[in-house]
Amino acid sequence: MAAPPKIQLVDFNGMFNVDGFTDFVIESNMESWGLDYKVVAIMGPQSSGKSTLLNQVFGTSFTEMDAMKGRSQTTQGIWMARSPVVDDPLLVMDLEGNDGRERGEDDTAFEKQATLFAMASADILLVNMWSHDVGRETGSGKPLLKTVLEGLGWEGVRAESGQWTRCDIRQPVNLKLFNQKRTVLLFVFRDRTKTPLEYLASTMSTDMQKIWESVPKPPQYVDSPISDFFDI
């Protein structure tokens, strides 16, 4: 069976591939789908097996890292393909891994924007991580998730005190996207150790709840639980 068409939707510099996407729409016959399709995306640390997981589960052909040639960045930007093993139309997005040395420790703008794009467009967002990183602050991706969730609520500038004040608040922009549907956040624990799965799941659930409680929200969402927007 021929490999399904794939496209680099967003390149390393953050440029959206308009012409390539147009060709992808035609080649995949997307116009016939209407709104009857789903989107799955994956995020996580660089070289953690994200592309391999997607290829194994969804039959895609994203480029995988060759460990015999060292550990380095394989996926750049955001790639997308249609799954050939799912009957109903399913688009699969492979995000560039975060915490990669190619961008350096100070260049986190792209990974934040890519994650926000995935959360806004995907029905299911896979969060890929090593099981031994569960409970860690950086390794588990908590800073990135917190930054993205903060970006979902407000378009404005944080006051010097670190608190939102009436004059700082503009219009809530991105939480409106999630008021239409709940996004599934599916955490994938790789190379699981002896720690029982229920304990790993409980730790991540608790961490996500703490992140949600700590981020500023529009007045109408202050008391909303995270379950109003996400299935975890």
Side-chain angles (χ1 to χ4, degrees):
M1 182 174 60
K6 63 182 179 181
I7 176 182
Q8 188 181 33
L9 190 63
V10 179
D11 68 14
F12 183 81
N13 296 315
M15 298 299 295
F16 189 86
N17 185 0
V18 178
D19 293 336
F21 181 67
T22 300
D23 294 339
F24 179 86
V25 168
I26 297 173
E27 188 174 358
S28 302
N29 196 29
M30 284 181 61
E31 291 183 340
S32 67
W33 302 353
L35 298 178
D36 188 22
Y37 67 93
K38 300 295 183 183
V39 180
V40 173
I42 192 168
M43 61 168 284
Q46 180 171 297
S47 304
S48 61
K50 299 183 299 301
S51 302
T52 302
L53 177 63
L54 295 180
N55 292 342
Q56 291 294 317
V57 175
F58 300 108
T60 48
S61 58
F62 297 120
T63 303
E64 301 176 10
M65 184 189 73
D66 185 351
M68 299 304 295
K69 296 181 179 179
R71 307 188 68 82
S72 60
Q73 186 180 67
T74 303
T75 302
Q76 291 192 342
I78 301 175
W79 285 76
M80 184 173 69
R82 179 183 177 178
S83 170
V85 299
V86 178
D87 292 335
D88 295 328
L90 176 66
L91 294 174
V92 183
M93 293 198 304
D94 190 10
L95 272 63
E96 177 182 312
N98 57 281
D99 197 25
R101 66 182 178 85
E102 285 78 5
R103 289 193 181 274
E105 62 180 8
D106 297 324
D107 186 6
T108 60
F110 180 85
E111 64 185 40
K112 294 172 184 176
Q113 293 168 350
T115 303
L116 179 56
F117 175 78
M119 294 183 89
S121 58
D123 297 280
I124 301 175
L125 177 60
L126 305 176
V127 184
N128 196 59
M129 66 176 65
W130 304 111
S131 61
H132 57 253
D133 281 335
V134 176
R136 293 179 176 175
E137 185 66 18
T138 302
S140 63
K142 287 169 60 180
L144 176 59
L145 287 169
K146 181 176 181 180
T147 300
V148 170
L149 287 178
E150 285 178 337
L152 296 178
W154 297 104
E155 179 184 31
V157 179
R158 187 183 294 274
E160 292 184 2
S161 63
Q163 301 296 319
W164 290 101
T165 63
R166 201 169 190 85
C167 62
D168 298 316
I169 296 174
R170 300 181 188 175
Q171 293 297 316
V173 286
N174 296 314
L175 275 175
K176 292 186 292 185
L177 296 172
F178 297 92
N179 207 25
Q180 307 301 318
K181 64 179 179 67
R182 290 195 300 178
T183 301
V184 175
L185 290 181
L186 182 59
F187 290 88
V188 181
F189 304 131
R190 306 296 293 267
D191 292 356
R192 189 159 62 88
T193 60
K194 294 181 179 180
T195 305
L197 180 59
E198 57 266 28
Y199 291 127
L200 297 175
S202 176
T203 298
M204 284 309 306
S205 179
T206 299
D207 286 348
M208 287 301 297
Q209 183 62 41
K210 289 180 178 178
I211 291 174
W212 180 254
E213 292 173 354
S214 69
V215 300
K217 307 175 189 68
Q220 65 269 36
Y221 297 125
V222 168
D223 297 321
S224 298
I226 190 172
S227 57
D228 281 358
F229 301 93
F230 302 98
D231 282 329
I232 300 176

